Each structure stands twice: as structure tokens, then as C-alpha cells.
Amino acid sequence: MLFNYTPNRENNTLTIQREFLADRAQVWDYYTKSELLAQWYAPDPMIITTQVMNFHEGGYWHYKMADQDGNVYYGMTQYKKIDPRYELSFFDAFCDENGKIDINIPGADWTVTFIERGDKILVQSVLTFQSLADLEQILEMGMEDGMRATYETLDKLLAEK
């Protein structure tokens, strides 16, 4: 399936495009329901546990990621705009167990669109960072490999439906 990962250093953005062999409603559900997000949103073998999920404009998803070595990380997604089955926009960042944003790891504003292409859905995510340094830090952290891994897991889950 199509996977494009394109940083744009002139405007501090990262565009990620991925096709899935599924319908729009299925993919939307995997992006918006905590029990489904937990199945794919972190690379294997990490496990996600939802702390709080309020999926509505102005709401948020606070989650915990844990690996087999006992390392624990927290993330926070703050929903800005929701156009059901077509587009999501949100701010996503690492945080602590109480939801306080970690200022040492850059967060990003995401706009995710769900575009039908015959029997496939193209998910396009445009991440906007505060600065070029923030974009570079995320690139160096290995986000491309992480996104590939999570999307492969999502592919497997969608194939089971």
C-alpha cells in the first residue's frame, strides 16, 4: 500500500500519506474509538491504555504507552475540529501521567483527512511544527519507522474485519 513520508523544512511540516484497503467508516473508527486506537496507535510491542477519552471538539484523549521492559510514556491528543469520517484536526504531544505536556519533546498540530479512492482509503496527515528545530527533532527520533510500524498493524486489523 502507498506510504509517503515527506518533510517540508520550508514550512515546518511533515506530510504522511497511507492507503488502506478498507472503507472510510472502518478507518475512521480506528482513529476515533479508544478501544480501537489502543490496538494500533503505538508500535509493537508497546501496549496502549486509555486514561481518558472525550472525543468531541475541545475534548481530548490521554493515553499511556508501555513496553515489555517497563518503560512508560504518556501522550495527549487535544481535538480541535471533527468532521465525521472526513477530517480530524488536533494537537498531539507527549505528556506526563497527569496530562501536563512535555515541553522537551515537540508536539504538533495534525490535520488528518480520509479520502476515498475506489476500494481504498487514503489517510493524509499533515503535521505542523512550531519550528524547523522541532521538525528535525521528531525526524531524528525515528517517527518514519514508528508510523510504518503502526500502519502495518492497522493494515492487519482492517484485514481481519
Side-chain angles (χ1 to χ4, degrees):
M1 291 287 165
L2 171 79
F3 179 83
N4 289 325
Y5 185 87
T6 311
N8 183 326
R9 289 170 173 86
E10 291 179 13
N11 62 7
N12 306 327
T13 62
L14 173 61
T15 300
I16 305 166
Q17 296 177 316
R18 180 61 154 77
E19 279 184 334
F20 296 96
L21 187 57
D23 66 40
R24 185 193 315 252
Q26 284 178 299
V27 178
W28 176 264
D29 285 350
Y30 273 93
Y31 268 81
T32 61
K33 295 182 177 180
S34 63
E35 68 277 10
L36 298 177
L37 274 164
Q39 296 177 35
W40 72 274
Y41 199 71
D44 279 336
M46 296 188 90
I47 296 172
I48 288 187
T49 306
T50 294
Q51 308 299 294
V52 176
M53 175 74 150
N54 294 313
F55 183 70
H56 58 82
E57 291 182 3
Y60 63 95
W61 178 42
H62 182 213
Y63 55 94
K64 174 176 129 179
M65 298 178 285
D67 66 21
Q68 70 277 13
D69 297 326
N71 297 307
V72 175
Y73 310 92
Y74 290 89
M76 173 71 74
T77 298
Q78 299 168 336
Y79 298 107
K80 295 180 177 183
K81 179 183 172 194
I82 299 171
D83 183 2
R85 297 188 179 169
Y86 291 92
E87 184 177 288
L88 286 174
S89 67
F90 53 85
F91 176 76
D92 189 68
F94 285 96
C95 63
D96 67 14
E97 65 274 6
N98 299 310
K100 182 179 177 196
I101 302 296
D102 183 343
I103 61 171
N104 297 310
I105 303 173
D109 287 307
W110 291 59
T111 299
V112 182
T113 54
F114 301 82
I115 304 159
E116 289 182 333
R117 289 184 159 183
D119 61 348
K120 298 176 188 158
I121 288 295
L122 173 68
V123 176
Q124 177 173 281
S125 302
V126 179
L127 290 67
T128 303
F129 295 88
Q130 290 284 325
S131 68
L132 177 58
D134 288 353
L135 170 61
E136 293 292 352
Q137 183 177 345
I138 291 298
L139 296 175
E140 289 171 17
M141 289 174 65
M143 185 165 186
E144 182 173 3
D145 291 339
M147 291 302 296
R148 280 185 191 278
T150 58
Y151 284 154
E152 286 172 10
T153 301
L154 181 53
D155 261 338
K156 291 175 190 168
L157 292 166
L158 291 166
E160 294 171 2
K161 295 289 175 183

Coordinates of all heavy atoms in Angstrom, one line a residue, residues 101-155:
I101 N 1.8 18.6 29.3 CA 2.6 18.5 28.1 C 4.1 18.6 28.4 O 4.5 19.4 29.2 CB 2.2 19.6 27.1 CG1 0.7 19.5 26.7 CG2 3.1 19.5 25.8 CD1 0.2 18.3 26.1
D102 N 4.8 17.6 27.8 CA 6.3 17.6 28.0 C 6.9 18.6 27.0 O 6.9 18.3 25.8 CB 6.8 16.2 27.7 CG 8.3 16.1 27.9 OD1 9.0 17.1 27.9 OD2 8.8 14.9 28.0
I103 N 7.4 19.7 27.5 CA 7.9 20.7 26.6 C 9.3 20.4 25.9 O 9.8 21.1 25.1 CB 8.1 22.1 27.3 CG1 9.0 22.0 28.5 CG2 6.7 22.6 27.7 CD1 9.3 23.3 29.1
N104 N 9.9 19.3 26.4 CA 11.2 18.8 25.8 C 11.1 18.0 24.6 O 12.1 17.8 23.9 CB 12.0 18.0 26.9 CG 12.3 18.9 28.1 OD1 12.8 20.0 28.0 ND2 11.9 18.4 29.3
I105 N 9.9 17.5 24.3 CA 9.6 16.8 23.0 C 8.5 17.5 22.3 O 7.4 17.8 22.8 CB 9.1 15.3 23.3 CG1 10.2 14.6 24.2 CG2 8.9 14.6 22.0 CD1 9.7 13.3 24.7
P106 N 8.8 18.0 21.0 CA 7.9 18.8 20.3 C 6.5 18.1 20.0 O 6.5 16.9 19.6 CB 8.6 19.1 19.0 CG 10.0 18.8 19.2 CD 10.1 17.7 20.3
G107 N 5.5 18.8 20.3 CA 4.2 18.4 19.8 C 3.9 19.0 18.4 O 4.7 19.7 17.9
A108 N 2.8 18.6 17.9 CA 2.5 19.1 16.5 C 1.0 19.2 16.4 O 0.2 18.5 17.0 CB 3.0 18.1 15.5
D109 N 0.6 20.1 15.5 CA -0.8 20.3 15.1 C -1.0 19.3 13.9 O -0.2 19.4 13.0 CB -1.2 21.7 14.7 CG -1.3 22.6 15.9 OD1 -2.0 22.3 16.8 OD2 -0.6 23.7 15.9
W110 N -2.0 18.4 14.0 CA -2.3 17.4 12.9 C -3.6 17.8 12.2 O -4.5 18.2 12.9 CB -2.4 16.1 13.5 CG -1.2 15.4 14.1 CD1 -0.5 15.8 15.1 CD2 -0.7 14.1 13.8 NE1 0.5 14.9 15.4 CE2 0.4 13.8 14.6 CE3 -1.1 13.2 12.8 CZ2 1.1 12.7 14.5 CZ3 -0.4 12.0 12.7 CH2 0.7 11.7 13.5
T111 N -3.6 17.6 10.9 CA -4.8 17.6 10.2 C -4.8 16.3 9.4 O -3.9 16.0 8.6 CB -4.9 18.8 9.2 OG1 -4.9 20.0 10.0 CG2 -6.2 18.8 8.4
V112 N -5.8 15.5 9.7 CA -5.9 14.1 9.1 C -7.2 14.1 8.3 O -8.3 14.3 8.7 CB -6.0 13.0 10.2 CG1 -6.0 11.7 9.6 CG2 -4.8 13.2 11.2
T113 N -7.0 13.8 7.0 CA -8.1 13.7 6.1 C -8.2 12.2 5.6 O -7.2 11.5 5.4 CB -8.0 14.6 4.9 OG1 -6.7 14.4 4.2 CG2 -8.1 16.1 5.3
F114 N -9.5 11.8 5.3 CA -9.8 10.5 4.9 C -10.5 10.6 3.5 O -11.6 11.1 3.4 CB -10.8 9.8 5.9 CG -10.2 9.8 7.3 CD1 -10.3 10.9 8.1 CD2 -9.6 8.7 7.8 CE1 -9.8 10.9 9.4 CE2 -9.1 8.6 9.1 CZ -9.2 9.7 9.9
I115 N -9.7 10.1 2.5 CA -10.1 10.3 1.1 C -10.4 9.0 0.4 O -9.5 8.1 0.4 CB -9.0 11.1 0.3 CG1 -8.7 12.4 1.0 CG2 -9.4 11.3 -1.1 CD1 -7.3 13.0 0.7
E116 N -11.6 8.8 -0.1 CA -11.9 7.6 -0.8 C -11.2 7.5 -2.1 O -11.2 8.5 -2.9 CB -13.4 7.4 -1.0 CG -14.2 7.2 0.3 CD -15.7 7.0 0.1 OE1 -16.2 7.6 -0.9 OE2 -16.3 6.4 0.9
R117 N -10.7 6.3 -2.4 CA -10.0 6.0 -3.7 C -10.5 4.6 -4.2 O -9.7 3.6 -4.0 CB -8.5 6.0 -3.6 CG -7.9 7.4 -3.4 CD -6.5 7.3 -3.4 NE -5.8 8.6 -3.7 CZ -4.5 8.8 -3.8 NH1 -3.7 7.7 -3.7 NH2 -4.1 9.9 -4.1
G118 N -11.7 4.5 -4.7 CA -12.2 3.2 -5.1 C -12.5 2.4 -3.8 O -13.2 2.8 -3.0
D119 N -11.8 1.2 -3.8 CA -12.0 0.3 -2.6 C -10.9 0.6 -1.5 O -10.8 -0.2 -0.6 CB -11.9 -1.1 -3.0 CG -10.6 -1.5 -3.7 OD1 -9.8 -0.6 -4.0 OD2 -10.4 -2.7 -3.9
K120 N -10.2 1.7 -1.6 CA -9.2 2.1 -0.7 C -9.5 3.4 0.0 O -10.3 4.2 -0.6 CB -7.8 2.2 -1.3 CG -7.4 0.9 -1.9 CD -6.1 1.0 -2.6 CE -5.7 -0.2 -3.4 NZ -4.8 0.0 -4.5
I121 N -8.9 3.7 1.1 CA -9.0 5.0 1.7 C -7.5 5.5 1.8 O -6.6 4.8 2.3 CB -9.6 4.9 3.1 CG1 -11.0 4.6 3.1 CG2 -9.3 6.2 4.0 CD1 -11.9 5.7 2.5
L122 N -7.3 6.8 1.4 CA -6.1 7.4 1.6 C -6.2 8.3 2.9 O -7.1 9.1 2.9 CB -5.7 8.3 0.4 CG -4.5 9.2 0.6 CD1 -3.2 8.4 0.7 CD2 -4.4 10.3 -0.5
V123 N -5.3 8.0 3.8 CA -5.3 8.8 5.0 C -4.1 9.8 4.9 O -3.0 9.3 4.7 CB -5.1 8.0 6.3 CG1 -5.0 8.9 7.5 CG2 -6.3 7.0 6.5
Q124 N -4.4 11.0 4.9 CA -3.3 12.0 4.7 C -3.2 12.8 6.0 O -4.2 13.4 6.5 CB -3.5 13.0 3.6 CG -2.5 14.1 3.5 CD -2.6 14.9 2.3 OE1 -2.2 14.5 1.2 NE2 -3.2 16.1 2.4
S125 N -2.0 12.8 6.6 CA -1.8 13.5 7.9 C -0.8 14.6 7.6 O 0.3 14.3 7.1 CB -1.2 12.6 9.0 OG -2.2 11.5 9.2
V126 N -1.1 15.8 7.9 CA -0.2 17.0 7.8 C 0.1 17.5 9.2 O -0.8 17.9 9.9 CB -0.8 18.1 6.9 CG1 0.2 19.3 6.8 CG2 -1.1 17.6 5.5
L127 N 1.3 17.3 9.6 CA 1.8 17.7 10.9 C 2.5 19.1 10.8 O 3.4 19.2 10.0 CB 2.7 16.7 11.5 CG 2.2 15.4 12.0 CD1 1.7 14.6 10.8 CD2 3.2 14.6 12.7
T128 N 2.1 20.0 11.6 CA 2.7 21.4 11.6 C 3.4 21.6 12.9 O 2.8 21.5 14.0 CB 1.7 22.5 11.3 OG1 1.0 22.2 10.1 CG2 2.3 23.8 11.2
F129 N 4.7 21.9 12.8 CA 5.6 22.1 14.0 C 5.8 23.6 14.2 O 5.8 24.4 13.3 CB 6.9 21.4 13.9 CG 6.7 19.9 13.8 CD1 6.4 19.2 12.6 CD2 6.7 19.1 15.0 CE1 6.2 17.9 12.6 CE2 6.5 17.8 15.0 CZ 6.3 17.1 13.8
Q130 N 6.1 24.0 15.4 CA 6.4 25.4 15.8 C 7.7 25.9 15.1 O 7.7 27.1 14.8 CB 6.6 25.5 17.3 CG 5.3 25.3 18.1 CD 4.4 26.5 18.0 OE1 4.8 27.7 17.9 NE2 3.1 26.3 17.9
S131 N 8.6 25.0 14.9 CA 9.9 25.5 14.3 C 10.6 24.4 13.5 O 10.2 23.2 13.6 CB 10.8 25.9 15.4 OG 11.2 24.8 16.2
L132 N 11.6 24.7 12.7 CA 12.3 23.7 12.0 C 13.1 22.8 13.0 O 13.2 21.6 12.8 CB 13.3 24.4 11.1 CG 14.3 23.5 10.3 CD1 13.5 22.5 9.4 CD2 15.2 24.3 9.4
A133 N 13.6 23.4 14.1 CA 14.2 22.5 15.1 C 13.3 21.5 15.6 O 13.7 20.3 15.8 CB 14.8 23.4 16.2
D134 N 12.0 21.8 15.8 CA 11.1 20.8 16.3 C 10.9 19.7 15.3 O 10.8 18.5 15.7 CB 9.7 21.5 16.7 CG 9.8 22.4 17.9 OD1 10.8 22.3 18.6 OD2 8.8 23.0 18.2
L135 N 10.7 20.1 14.1 CA 10.5 19.1 13.0 C 11.7 18.2 12.9 O 11.6 17.0 12.9 CB 10.3 19.8 11.6 CG 10.3 18.9 10.4 CD1 9.3 17.9 10.4 CD2 10.2 19.8 9.1
E136 N 12.9 18.8 13.0 CA 14.2 18.0 12.9 C 14.3 17.0 14.1 O 14.7 15.9 13.9 CB 15.4 18.9 12.8 CG 15.5 19.7 11.6 CD 15.8 18.9 10.3 OE1 16.0 17.7 10.4 OE2 15.7 19.5 9.2
Q137 N 13.9 17.5 15.2 CA 13.9 16.6 16.4 C 13.0 15.4 16.2 O 13.4 14.2 16.5 CB 13.6 17.4 17.7 CG 13.7 16.5 19.0 CD 13.4 17.3 20.2 OE1 13.3 18.5 20.2 NE2 13.2 16.6 21.3
I138 N 11.8 15.6 15.8 CA 10.9 14.5 15.5 C 11.4 13.5 14.5 O 11.3 12.3 14.6 CB 9.5 15.0 15.2 CG1 8.9 15.7 16.4 CG2 8.6 13.9 14.7 CD1 8.7 14.8 17.6
L139 N 12.0 14.1 13.4 CA 12.6 13.2 12.3 C 13.7 12.4 12.9 O 13.8 11.2 12.6 CB 13.1 14.1 11.2 CG 12.0 14.9 10.4 CD1 12.6 15.8 9.4 CD2 10.9 14.0 9.8
E140 N 14.5 13.0 13.7 CA 15.7 12.2 14.3 C 15.2 11.2 15.3 O 15.9 10.2 15.5 CB 16.6 13.2 15.0 CG 17.4 14.1 14.0 CD 18.2 15.2 14.7 OE1 18.4 15.1 15.9 OE2 18.6 16.1 14.0
M141 N 14.0 11.3 15.9 CA 13.5 10.4 16.9 C 13.0 9.1 16.2 O 12.7 8.1 16.9 CB 12.4 11.0 17.7 CG 12.9 12.1 18.7 SD 11.5 12.9 19.5 CE 10.8 11.5 20.5
G142 N 13.0 9.1 14.9 CA 12.5 7.9 14.2 C 11.1 7.8 13.9 O 10.5 6.7 13.8
M143 N 10.4 8.9 13.7 CA 9.0 8.9 13.5 C 8.6 8.1 12.3 O 7.5 7.4 12.2 CB 8.4 10.3 13.4 CG 6.9 10.3 13.3 SD 6.3 11.9 13.6 CE 4.5 11.6 13.6
E144 N 9.4 8.1 11.2 CA 9.0 7.4 10.0 C 8.9 5.9 10.3 O 7.9 5.3 9.9 CB 10.1 7.6 8.9 CG 9.7 6.9 7.6 CD 10.6 7.3 6.4 OE1 11.6 8.0 6.6 OE2 10.3 6.8 5.3
D145 N 9.9 5.3 11.0 CA 9.8 3.9 11.3 C 8.6 3.6 12.2 O 7.9 2.6 12.0 CB 11.1 3.4 11.9 CG 12.2 3.4 11.0 OD1 12.0 3.4 9.8 OD2 13.4 3.4 11.5
G146 N 8.3 4.5 13.1 CA 7.2 4.3 14.0 C 5.9 4.3 13.3 O 5.0 3.5 13.5
M147 N 5.7 5.3 12.3 CA 4.5 5.4 11.6 C 4.3 4.1 10.6 O 3.2 3.6 10.5 CB 4.5 6.6 10.7 CG 4.4 7.9 11.6 SD 2.9 8.0 12.6 CE 1.6 8.1 11.4
R148 N 5.4 3.7 10.0 CA 5.3 2.5 9.2 C 4.8 1.3 10.0 O 3.9 0.6 9.6 CB 6.7 2.1 8.6 CG 7.1 2.9 7.4 CD 8.4 2.4 6.8 NE 8.9 3.3 5.8 CZ 8.5 3.3 4.6 NH1 7.6 2.5 4.1 NH2 9.0 4.2 3.7
A149 N 5.4 1.1 11.2 CA 5.0 0.0 12.1 C 3.6 0.1 12.5 O 2.9 -0.9 12.5 CB 6.0 -0.1 13.3
T150 N 3.1 1.3 12.9 CA 1.8 1.4 13.4 C 0.8 1.1 12.2 O -0.3 0.5 12.4 CB 1.5 2.7 14.1 OG1 1.7 3.8 13.2 CG2 2.3 2.9 15.3
Y151 N 1.1 1.7 11.1 CA 0.2 1.5 9.9 C 0.2 0.0 9.5 O -0.9 -0.5 9.0 CB 0.6 2.4 8.8 CG 0.2 3.8 8.9 CD1 0.9 4.8 8.3 CD2 -0.9 4.2 9.7 CE1 0.5 6.2 8.4 CE2 -1.3 5.5 9.8 CZ -0.6 6.5 9.2 OH -0.9 7.8 9.3
E152 N 1.3 -0.7 9.6 CA 1.2 -2.1 9.3 C 0.3 -2.9 10.2 O -0.4 -3.8 9.8 CB 2.7 -2.7 9.3 CG 3.5 -2.3 8.2 CD 5.0 -2.7 8.3 OE1 5.3 -3.5 9.2 OE2 5.8 -2.2 7.5
T153 N 0.3 -2.5 11.5 CA -0.6 -3.1 12.5 C -2.0 -2.8 12.1 O -2.9 -3.7 12.1 CB -0.3 -2.6 13.9 OG1 1.1 -3.0 14.2 CG2 -1.2 -3.2 14.9
L154 N -2.3 -1.5 11.7 CA -3.6 -1.1 11.3 C -4.1 -1.9 10.1 O -5.2 -2.4 10.0 CB -3.7 0.4 11.1 CG -5.1 0.9 10.7 CD1 -6.2 0.5 11.7 CD2 -5.0 2.4 10.6
D155 N -3.2 -2.1 9.1 CA -3.5 -3.0 8.0 C -4.0 -4.3 8.4 O -5.0 -4.8 7.9 CB -2.3 -3.1 7.1 CG -2.2 -2.2 5.9 OD1 -3.3 -1.7 5.5 OD2 -1.1 -2.0 5.4

